[in-house]
Amino acid sequence: MSSLGLQAPRSGFGGLALDLTRDFRTVWRNGFFVAVLVITALHIGTLLWVGDFLRPWMVSMVLIEVFTFNGFFLAGVLMLLEKGENSLAALSLSPLPAGRWLRSRCLLLTFLAWLECLAVCAFLWPAGLTASLLSAAITTPLLALLGIAFTSRYRGFSEFLMPSVAVFMVLMLPLLRLAGFSQHWVFWLHPLTPGVVLLEYGDPTGVPAVTALALTLGVVWILLAYRLALTVSQHVLAWR
Amino acid sequence: MIKVDDLSYTYPSGDNPTLHGLSFAIPEGEVFGFLGPSGSGKSTAQKLITGQIQPPADTVELLGRDFTAWGRELYNDIGVCFELPSFFLKLTGRENLDYFASLYPRLRSDRAEVIKLLGLEDALDQPVAEYSKGMMTRLGLIRALQHQPRLLFLDEPTSGLDPASSARVQDLIRRERSRGVTIFLTTHDMLTADALCDRLAFLIHGAISCVGSPRTLKQENGKDQVKVVYESDDGAEELLVDLKGLGQDARFQDVLRRRSILSIHSQEATLSEVFIRQTGVALE
């Protein structure tokens, strides 16, 4: 510590912890936690009015929607915020590797999704807690990485909004499985299907083979999305 | 320390090149000024040299190695002070400095002194969003310096500063130069450039029109004369005398002996006049 209380340089895991602290403060002080809290409370409130017959199905849909908001949209908005305040340019001219920035963002947003899972499941679906936590773990980082890759070309929220809605529609396609429209194998090619399937079965221990397949596929999709986000960071954000 | 060789650049969305064949070299410990009006390509050049835009291979060499051969470790030795604010605005000044310091392997031992010198010690716990432009400029300078870079890129470092703060920033830049730091200064402020730079390059329409030390440029583009203004019965009169043989000039001697002198100035050009003469364009 210097005489002004400034910290000494850190790297490795300590560095990632500092990245997370910075991200957490940014999210907290920009009011995103409050926004998430309000949205979660609204969802819980609405679902409490739904009948028992529809509730399990709707809870799964709401959780996927929540993961998408937390992952895809929040990652995009945070990035636009950093672009707007120019802090992203400052980071890209520091020794910080783009990968560490991406990992921190994914961890924070997944943590946020887990908090929402806890809240939703506590009120509406206690038996589905494990499935929803696992689903959040493979879905939120994937969506966050896709959100970063997608948003990197936009400079402002107004530019990003309309195209992002179109992407949102495509991302939601696996929900058709939940609605019973189709169980076709083609859905397994969609990156969100593993997360949806985990919610669909509800109890991961009851279907170990399906759970293992979904988790493996989910991790593969995360690695692919990580590669994509890294490439985009290098080429679009000039983060070598 | 910095070598730029035939650097040209056209933005992907543009039809015409923004930069045309820039070439210059900056040795260790030199303050090199890049002067030009808005839109002349100064910022693009700085972006290419610092890597905000990937420069073509074999056009930019930093610290003895081609830019494309460097990994992210290059930034351990580079400090960049942006003209526009570039902070996490909801974080305090201290949180911003701490976070960025955590990214580097070194931290200068006199950082607290630099913070005090720039007068920000009492504002460190304030969110950066509440800073004035001048405070952000000073915070940016501290951030650029806190990891002891060997290369410093400064974009309009006195922009938005009051004269006292501007003088302190200039002192700090001189101190860094005396420690051997190489400084690339982008500005359109002729006074700052004149006060700080060892050499200057004038950039106009993406090309360098001339390079030289401020003194040489002013002498080469001025008159080798002295103008004496002295009191007379009509108020004030001027006398122009050649610098060569000034001591023996009878009129000059006579004015010095018999008149009350109001001012004596050499007739070297100002940097603004040199810039206009060299480029045909005035800086705002």
Side-chain angles (χ1 to χ4, degrees):
Chain A
M1 290 280 212
S2 72
S3 62
L4 280 170
L6 298 160
Q7 291 174 354
R10 296 253 191 96
S11 59
F13 187 74
L16 185 61
L18 282 171
D19 294 341
L20 272 168
T21 309
R22 183 215 66 213
D23 270 349
F24 183 87
R25 283 174 174 153
T26 305
V27 167
W28 177 262
R29 292 181 195 170
N30 278 289
F32 292 135
F33 274 121
V34 176
V36 166
L37 187 72
V38 169
I39 289 169
T40 309
L42 280 173
H43 279 137
I44 292 170
T46 309
L47 288 171
L48 283 171
W49 287 96
V50 175
D52 287 344
F53 175 69
L54 280 176
R55 192 175 296 147
W57 172 72
M58 283 198 72
V59 167
S60 298
M61 285 192 63
V62 162
L63 282 172
I64 289 292
E65 184 208 320
V66 159
F67 300 157
T68 309
F69 175 78
N70 272 356
F72 187 81
F73 284 101
L74 216 47
V77 169
L78 274 171
M79 189 184 186
L80 290 173
L81 184 80
E82 286 177 339
K83 273 188 171 187
E85 62 188 15
N86 224 16
S87 53
L88 198 58
L91 288 177
S92 74
L93 293 183
S94 77
L96 178 71
R100 205 174 101 181
W101 175 69
L102 291 172
R103 290 194 291 274
S104 159
R105 195 56 47 92
C106 289
L107 282 173
L108 179 77
L109 296 178
T110 304
F111 171 71
L112 207 56
W114 276 344
L115 290 182
E116 288 178 287
C117 286
L118 285 172
V120 170
C121 289
F123 281 96
L124 303 160
W125 193 27
L129 181 63
T130 311
S132 62
L133 289 178
L134 284 175
S135 180
I138 57 169
T139 308
T140 310
L142 167 69
L143 286 162
L145 293 164
L146 291 178
I148 288 168
F150 176 75
T151 316
S152 62
R153 292 186 184 277
Y154 298 103
R155 293 216 60 84
F157 188 69
S158 53
E159 266 182 71
F160 156 81
L161 193 58
M162 285 308 285
S164 70
V165 170
V167 174
F168 175 75
M169 304 295 277
V170 175
L171 287 173
M172 292 297 102
L173 280 177
L175 291 183
L176 291 173
R177 274 180 69 92
L178 293 177
F181 281 102
S182 173
Q183 296 282 333
H184 198 279
W185 66 268
V186 144
F187 276 98
W188 281 96
L189 299 177
H190 191 289
L192 254 58
T193 296
V196 171
V197 167
L198 285 174
L199 294 173
E200 188 182 350
Y201 284 95
D203 177 16
T205 53
V207 279
V210 175
T211 303
L213 175 65
L215 288 176
T216 308
L217 261 179
V219 171
V220 169
W221 276 113
I222 289 172
L223 292 175
L224 288 173
Y226 181 74
R227 191 67 246 169
L228 173 71
L230 213 52
T231 307
V232 165
S233 303
Q234 286 158 355
H235 292 283
V236 182
L237 306 176
W239 202 326
R240 302 182 316 117
Chain B
M1 292 296 270
I2 301 176
K3 195 173 164 196
V4 173
D5 186 26
D6 197 23
L7 177 63
S8 299
Y9 185 73
T10 305
Y11 279 99
S13 56
D15 295 328
N16 301 314
T18 307
L19 298 177
H20 310 265
L22 300 190
S23 295
F24 57 86
I26 310 175
E28 188 172 356
E30 183 174 272
V31 181
F32 187 83
F34 223 46
L35 269 79
S38 300
S40 60
K42 298 190 302 286
S43 296
T44 304
Q46 181 163 318
K47 282 179 180 173
L48 282 157
I49 298 169
T50 56
Q52 280 176 281
I53 302 173
Q54 176 80 22
D58 302 323
T59 56
V60 176
E61 189 181 297
L62 297 178
L63 302 165
R65 207 194 297 180
D66 187 67
F67 186 89
T68 52
W70 279 102
R72 294 207 66 76
E73 74 278 9
L74 168 67
Y75 294 109
N76 290 334
D77 288 310
I78 288 183
V80 182
C81 180
F82 298 81
E83 183 191 5
L84 294 171
S86 52
F87 300 98
F88 298 101
L89 296 177
K90 296 282 183 181
L91 269 55
T92 65
R94 187 190 306 277
E95 287 166 346
N96 268 281
L97 288 181
D98 276 352
Y99 177 69
F100 278 95
S102 76
L103 304 175
Y104 294 87
R106 292 186 302 273
L107 183 63
R108 66 188 297 151
S109 55
D110 63 342
R111 183 169 68 163
E113 192 191 319
V114 173
I115 292 169
K116 278 180 185 157
L117 178 75
L118 293 180
L120 274 187
E121 72 271 28
D122 293 332
L124 277 185
D125 292 319
Q126 220 175 301
V128 175
E130 293 173 9
Y131 279 29
S132 66
K133 184 173 189 307
M135 288 164 84
M136 288 194 196
T137 303
R138 284 179 280 156
L139 188 68
L141 194 57
I142 296 164
R143 184 181 63 192
L145 287 171
Q146 67 178 350
H147 57 281
Q148 278 190 309
R150 293 163 67 196
L151 290 179
L152 192 55
F153 291 87
L154 304 176
D155 196 353
E156 306 287 359
T158 54
S159 166
L161 298 184
D162 59 78
S165 299
S166 177
R168 284 202 291 267
V169 166
Q170 289 188 17
D171 283 346
L172 189 59
I173 293 171
R174 285 192 198 96
R175 256 171 57 173
E176 292 304 303
R177 177 178 55 183
S178 68
R179 291 174 53 237
V181 177
T182 307
I183 300 169
F184 185 88
L185 177 75
T186 310
T187 184
H188 65 265
D189 178 358
M190 291 293 182
L191 292 175
T192 302
D194 200 1
L196 291 176
C197 296
D198 298 308
R199 282 191 307 144
L200 296 167
F202 289 159
L203 194 68
I204 185 77
H205 303 312
I208 292 177
S209 66
C210 73
V211 181
S213 73
R215 176 177 291 195
T216 310
L217 290 171
K218 288 187 289 186
Q219 282 174 345
E220 283 174 354
N221 290 274
K223 296 174 192 158
D224 292 338
Q225 289 181 318
V226 170
K227 181 161 82 175
V228 184
V229 181
Y230 56 91
E231 277 186 1
S232 70
D233 298 338
D234 301 329
E237 278 188 42
E238 289 180 4
L239 173 68
L240 274 172
V241 188
D242 289 341
L243 274 173
K244 203 172 178 181
L246 180 68
Q248 287 75 47
D249 190 286
R251 289 175 307 158
F252 183 66
Q253 301 278 2
D254 183 54
V255 165
L256 288 185
R257 270 198 304 269
R258 298 176 49 204
R259 302 286 187 165
S260 175
I261 306 297
L262 296 173
S263 66
I264 300 179
H265 289 293
S266 60
Q267 291 301 285
E268 63 185 17
T270 63
L271 270 185
S272 296
E273 288 165 346
V274 177
F275 189 87
I276 293 168
R277 197 165 298 167
Q278 292 288 333
T279 65
V281 176
L283 283 176
E284 289 166 12

